[in-house]
Each structure stands twice: as C-alpha cells, then as structure tokens.
Amino acid sequence: RRSCEVAPDSDCVKLCVDCLLVLADCSHEAKRHFMELAEEIYRSCIDLVSAENFQDQKDEARLVLNRLLMLANRGFDVTFDDAVLMQRFKDLLEVRIEWSSQVATSGKDTSQVAATPSQVPDARVALQLLEVLFVALTWQVRVLEWVKPDGAKKNAEGEQEPGAAAEKDAAPEGIEELGDLKDVKAAIPEKMNSLVSLCIRLIEKDCSPFVRYHAYNCYMLLLQLGISVGGEAEVTFPEDHVQVLFQYINDLFQRAYDLKEPTACLNLDGFAVDATSDDFADKIAGATTTSARMLLDCCIETTEETVRDRCEVGPEECMLFAVLAARVVAEHEHEKVHSGPLALLLLTQCEKSRPKALKEVACLLFRRLRNHARLSEDYAKQFWDVQLEAIQGTFLCCGLEAATSLCHAFTRQWGPQITIWLE
C-alpha cells in the first residue's frame, strides 16, 4: 500500500496493485487496505483537479491520476460515481478544447506550438482524464450487467446466483458506494451521451494526435457499449458526428499516403517486434499489451519537456493511427459504421496504390460485407450498393482511372465465379 502511494514509476504501482488485489481475495486486512488506498487516492484527486489547485500541482495530479487508473483498471470504480469529481474532469478537458481552438484559429503551425499554459492539461493529463471518465462509466455499466431486470445477481460468468438478493442489495462487494442501482441505471444514458459529445469535440479540435485518437477510440467504444446494453442506453450517432469522424479518418489516410518510406514493420495487427532484441521486455510490458496501448502509454509516461504536447508524430506512429482507426470501422457492430460513409471511405483503400497495411484492413471489411451478403437479399443489396457508392465517389473525386482501378480491386475480391449448375 505504501508503495502504491509513493512510487513514481507506473510499472511499480501496477505490480503492487496486482499483489494487493491477490491478497485481498484471501485476507480481510488486505481488502481493508485496498479500500483505504482507493479512498485516499479518490480524496487526493478531488483536491488536485480543482481549478484553483490544478495549475500549481499539475505534475502531482498526473501521478495521482495514474494511480487512480491503475486501481480502476484492476479493482472497481474508484471515482465512486462522484458527480463533482467527474464534472471537474470534464471541465479540465473543456479548458483544453478551448485552448486548442484558440491555437487553431491563430493560424500557427502545430509543430511550433509552445508548451501548454499552466491551467491547461497537457496531452498526458488529457489522456488520463479521458480514460478515467470512460473506465468509470464502463464500470457502472458492468455493475448493472451483474444485476438482472428482476433484481437477481449474476456471478462472474454471467450466471444467476441461487437465492440472490433484490436489486438494491445486489451490488457486488466493494461498490456499495454507487447507491441505488435504479438511479445509476437511469443516469447512464445521459452520462454516455455527455461523454460522446466531449469526445467528438476533442476529435475535432484538439491539437495532439494522441488525444484525438484516444477520443476517437472512446467514442467508438461507447457506440459499441450502447449496442451491448441496448434500450435507453444506446448512444445517438447524428450526421454531424459522422462528418467529424469522416474528416478525421480521411486526414489520417492522407497523412499515410504522404509517407515517403513504407513502414515495413507494420501490418493490420500493429507493430512487428523482434522477440530476440535486447529491448523486447521494455516494449512489451505484458501479454495483453497492444500497439495502441503501448503508443498511448509512451505518451502518458514521457517526462520530456521538449515534446511540445506531442503535436507531431513520426511516420510509423502516423501509419499506426491510420491502421487502428480503420480496424475500428472494419470490426464495429454499429450498422452506420460498418456500412455507412466511414465504411465507404475505408473501402476506397482497396485500390492497389494504397499502403499495404491499409489495403489489408479494407479487404477485411470487404470480406465481412461479402459474408453478410450470403445471409439475405437485404445484405446482398447493401453489399452491392456500398461498392457502387465507393466507385462513384472515387470517380467524382479522383477521376476515371482511379475508379476503374478500385472496380478491378473489388471484382478480384469477389472470389471464384461458380457456374449455375454448381450453385
């Protein structure tokens, strides 16, 4: 517990929290220490993220937020559904959005942007704030999934426990601070749409590619979460949001096209890391680490003051953002995502002149739509319409040659033609 409170290294905090959680399963004393640690970090966070204290203690706030995330990702919602704390997080992100808007309207090159003012969260803190908001919301949804509509409690495997208590008594141990679950459930739709609105403004206006990507990822995950929960919790997906996402993904693709040298170590699964290299253990912190998480963690944990809020990224990072954003579209369950304007934009990457990694993701989406087309006539018509619109859009934007090349790429993905008597 003392190591979790004072250790500056995130890996040390992560391992200590894991050890404390293991001990908490078999010891009431360890469980008490874990709860006291969570409450202490929660109270420290409330003080540090206030408007009057944040600008003077930004570094300390970053360390406390890091510990808060370690607990939230391994234990439970350590924000305790505190509306005041969550609003302070949102207010700090709104301050950053306003500052980013001023930078954009000033006409300055983002590579020449100086360090953020003291009252504005830098990219590292903004990533932490956004992740805390998202993790806290998903914890509340997870709690409600443990409780059936009739109030029955579910175990970790999702099965109903025999003789479970009523809904007001069914909260899993350690999260009783959430209060009445009916009130929590009623507030979730508003919280989800509020966070979605915040994410879309960060995508549109923030000057850091790391913050924009993380906001994009959170937005898409909230859409997916709304589908999983269903009912009133389903997130709205208006046309103005589609336009912002379309512009963001198109900018990523355009940056990927402009790369002078191809990134040979990158494919649709992320970076290829040499397991025999000396720094393999430093690059891969654990078995569940992905390229996206590694990239964001490097930005959060950096101590370089010359980074200038990470407004510019290298060619490999630029290509990785484009590939990961494309994979979200290809694998998403929302119909407006995998068969709407975002899907049309991704399918245009099937053309032979596009970067190889992006072509792989585009072909992944094409094969998914092709498999859906075999299920019903409606899906088959949708599959045809998506290809037609993609070719028409390419013709209007790039001309006949590009549209013809895309058409040939589509026909090569149809598979072998089967004679009628074999069908």
Side-chain angles (χ1 to χ4, degrees):
R1 175 183 168 181
R2 291 196 299 271
S3 298
C4 294
E5 292 172 347
V6 301
D9 183 67
S10 60
D11 288 337
C12 179
V13 176
K14 186 187 306 180
L15 293 173
C16 290
V17 170
D18 288 340
C19 293
L20 195 57
L21 278 174
V22 172
L23 294 173
D25 288 337
C26 54
S27 169
H28 291 288
E29 183 71 12
K31 188 179 296 184
R32 181 180 63 82
H33 277 289
F34 183 84
M35 292 302 301
E36 291 177 356
L37 173 65
E39 292 173 359
E40 182 178 349
I41 293 176
Y42 159 74
R43 288 191 295 269
S44 300
C45 200
I46 288 181
D47 296 334
L48 290 172
V49 299
S50 60
E52 58 273 11
N53 295 332
F54 177 77
Q55 60 182 356
D56 298 327
Q57 304 182 59
K58 184 186 292 187
D59 292 335
E60 180 66 22
R62 186 169 64 86
L63 292 176
V64 173
L65 284 170
N66 187 48
R67 295 172 188 139
L68 190 74
L69 277 173
M70 295 298 175
L71 292 176
N73 284 322
R74 286 162 174 77
F76 61 94
D77 178 18
V78 290
T79 64
F80 301 103
D81 195 29
D82 187 345
V84 175
L85 179 61
M86 306 302 280
Q87 188 58 48
R88 288 182 179 179
F89 290 161
K90 293 178 182 178
D91 290 342
L92 287 174
L93 289 174
E94 292 288 355
V95 171
R96 179 176 174 84
I97 291 173
E98 183 179 356
W99 171 76
S100 298
S101 300
Q102 293 175 357
V103 171
T105 55
S106 65
K108 295 181 180 179
D109 185 0
T110 53
S111 61
Q112 304 299 322
V113 175
T116 54
S118 58
Q119 73 276 12
V120 177
D122 58 20
R124 300 172 298 176
V125 177
L127 290 170
Q128 291 175 318
L129 292 172
L130 187 57
E131 188 159 359
V132 169
L133 289 169
F134 178 78
V135 171
L137 182 58
T138 52
W139 263 113
Q140 294 173 28
V141 174
R142 183 177 181 181
V143 170
L144 296 178
E145 285 299 306
W146 280 336
V147 181
K148 285 190 174 183
D150 58 357
K153 183 179 177 180
K154 299 179 182 179
N155 58 22
E157 288 75 24
E159 301 174 352
Q160 180 179 352
E161 294 184 0
E167 181 171 347
K168 63 179 181 180
D169 300 321
E173 186 176 1
I175 52 176
E176 292 85 354
E177 291 80 358
L178 284 175
D180 190 353
L181 291 180
K182 291 182 179 179
D183 295 338
V184 175
K185 184 175 182 179
I188 280 182
E190 182 181 356
K191 291 179 180 179
M192 292 183 72
N193 284 289
S194 174
L195 185 54
V196 160
S197 178
L198 181 65
C199 288
I200 205 68
R201 292 201 303 277
L202 285 170
I203 296 170
E204 183 179 14
K205 298 181 179 180
D206 201 274
C207 59
S208 169
F210 293 88
V211 176
R212 296 183 72 194
Y213 169 73
H214 198 35
Y216 167 81
N217 206 29
C218 289
Y219 185 100
M220 290 300 197
L221 287 172
L222 286 170
L223 280 181
Q224 188 72 40
L225 188 64
I227 295 174
S228 302
V229 176
E232 297 179 355
E234 190 166 351
V235 179
T236 58
F237 194 34
E239 291 300 324
D240 56 335
H241 289 191
V242 176
Q243 293 177 6
V244 173
L245 295 174
F246 186 96
Q247 185 62 45
Y248 171 67
I249 298 175
N250 190 46
D251 290 343
L252 290 178
F253 288 171
Q254 189 60 49
R255 288 174 178 267
Y257 304 154
D258 296 339
L259 295 178
K260 296 181 179 179
E261 298 181 0
T263 52
C265 63
L266 184 69
N267 57 22
L268 64 87
D269 294 323
F271 283 121
V273 181
D274 184 8
T276 62
S277 62
D278 295 334
D279 58 347
F280 174 73
D282 296 332
K283 290 184 178 181
I284 305 298
T288 59
T289 299
T290 62
S291 294
R293 172 52 53 188
M294 183 178 68
L295 199 61
L296 294 174
D297 285 347
C298 289
C299 181
I300 292 175
E301 297 172 8
T302 183
T303 57
E304 300 180 14
E305 297 298 334
T306 59
V307 169
R308 293 187 178 183
D309 207 34
R310 300 303 301 270
C311 292
E312 295 295 331
V313 294
E316 288 188 346
E317 294 171 333
C318 183
M319 179 63 77
L320 180 60
F321 281 139
V323 171
L324 293 176
R327 281 197 63 180
V328 171
V329 175
E331 299 175 4
H332 209 278
E333 296 297 330
H334 199 292
E335 187 173 1
K336 285 188 177 180
V337 176
H338 67 74
S339 59
L342 302 182
L344 293 177
L345 178 61
L346 178 56
L347 288 176
T348 59
Q349 309 310 303
C350 291
E351 201 266 328
K352 62 181 181 181
S353 65
R354 307 305 184 188
K356 181 180 178 182
L358 286 178
K359 281 193 295 185
E360 291 178 351
V361 183
C363 291
L364 182 69
L365 174 61
F366 190 93
R367 289 192 294 269
R368 179 186 179 186
L369 295 175
R370 185 183 64 192
N371 292 335
H372 286 179
R374 296 170 179 168
L375 302 177
S376 68
E377 292 185 4
D378 292 337
Y379 282 133
K381 185 177 184 304
Q382 182 186 72
F383 179 52
W384 170 262
D385 291 341
V386 165
Q387 295 178 76
L388 182 61
E389 292 180 26
I391 294 172
Q392 288 176 341
T394 303
F395 173 75
L396 294 175
C397 296
C398 304
L400 178 61
E401 184 177 355
T404 304
S405 177
L406 181 61
C407 181
H408 290 166
F410 285 163
T411 55
R412 284 193 294 269
Q413 293 293 326
W414 285 351
Q417 185 177 1
I418 302 177
T419 58
I420 298 177
W421 64 275
L422 284 178
E423 291 183 349

